[in-house]
Amino acid sequence: MVARRDEIDTPKKWQPLVADAISSPAELFAALDLPKAQLPGAEQAATLFALKFPRRLLDRIEHNQPDDPVLRQFLPQAEESQSHPGYQVDPLAEAQAQVAPGLLHKYSGRVLLITTAACAVHCRYCFRRHFPYAEQRGEQDDWLAALAYIENHPDIHEVILSGGDPLSLSDNRLGRLISRLESIPHLRTLRLHSRTAALFPERLTDELTELLTDSRLRTVLVLHVNHPDELDGSSRQALETLSAAGVQLLNQSVLLAGVNDSSDTLIRLSQTLFDARTLPYYLHLPDPVTGTAHFQVDRQRGEQIIREMRSQLPGYLVPRLVVETAHEPGKTVIA
Ligand SMILES: *Cc1c(COP(=O)(O)O)cnc(C)c1O
Ligand code: SF4
């Protein structure tokens, strides 16, 4: 028996850092000297999906540059309020793949558990920006129904903790969930999908490393980094430590217009990730989600970028270009 860790939950250094995100468009505009004419559009867009911008990125962004590729991912834009034909609130029909509160079973052998609605940052292109998180009772109920479903399905070997961001949970809460999953004999792999891991290296605490490596389950951490400037020396160090402890590190990116839609940027991203012991896994074409049309990159452009990457990088540094289509048995690999 492992000692119960949930008695004490002392605040960690990462929690105030995450809580300190900029949420007022006016404050962000002032801090980065952004064109005032764009402020009303930003304020309107922030009523649709709140602004959440990590303060630590401020000094990596040039002033008076609303098109900065890192900023663009988090900056609310007037375009978000426009509607476009073909763009939907739930293009992946995730609501229908839900088999228990917060549990999506779309693909064979693995399930995705929405552990929490909370994210440390709000990415404007997010396909979950319209997800009815308020109806996600899974977290409040300690995922009881989801765990029961997994227990009753011996063909499930991998559980993917997603969100939101599973690293928004405290180590204690995450530890309790992992212990419960460990006790399900047919599970072999625990995967976490996290945007927080690279942006807030303080989140990669020793306690978390222990949780992920003391486990009977093989653990995979899939980062979400879109641009090489999102990683700095301290994120690289924290990821190296996690990798040395035995966690498999992968990265997924979304191909986003004005952020990373060039092979130069993505080549630099692959090399920066490799320095941090992380291999590129997926490059997603953006989903047609309402309010995100300004990030769209078409399939041909995506294929061309992958060809250019392949001509300059070893195969293991080239991600797979994928799209997700509702009701398909897995992601569709394009290139
Ligand atoms: C992407 C995804 C997975 C994992 O797919 P892999 O190809 O194994 O990375 C599982 N479930 C859902 C609902 C997904 O969207
Ligand atoms: S961290 Fe992930 S889930 Fe959260 S807003 Fe960004 S893309 Fe969406």
Side-chain angles (χ1 to χ4, degrees), residues 49-120:
F49 185 46
L51 166 70
K52 209 165 183 186
F53 180 87
R55 225 168 265 279
R56 66 184 314 128
L57 287 180
L58 284 178
D59 54 13
R60 287 183 236 166
I61 292 169
E62 291 219 31
H63 281 210
N64 196 14
Q65 291 292 334
D67 296 332
D68 177 283
V70 174
L71 175 63
R72 188 172 157 77
Q73 300 175 56
F74 309 106
L75 181 66
Q77 307 255 10
E79 288 103 310
E80 293 175 34
S81 312
Q82 295 163 7
S83 66
H84 289 263
Y87 281 69
Q88 301 163 34
V89 169
D90 180 16
L92 306 179
E94 286 209 321
Q96 291 169 45
Q98 209 169 151
V99 291
L103 190 71
L104 304 182
H105 193 181
K106 264 170 94 172
Y107 302 156
S108 163
R110 54 231 197 267
V111 284
L112 188 144
L113 182 61
I114 296 175
T115 50
T116 167
C119 297

Side-chain angles (χ1 to χ4, degrees), residues 49 119 121-123 125-128 133 163-165 195 224:
F49 185 46
C119 297
V121 294
H122 279 176
C123 315
Y125 54 85
C126 182
F127 71 102
R128 297 224 165 97
Y133 280 123
D165 197 312
R195 183 104 164 99
H224 174 173

Side-chain angles (χ1 to χ4, degrees), residues 10 16 41 87 158 171 220 222 254 277 284 314 319:
T10 43
Y87 281 69
E158 176 169 12
D171 289 332
V220 182
V222 182
V254 184
R277 304 275 197 273
H284 298 265

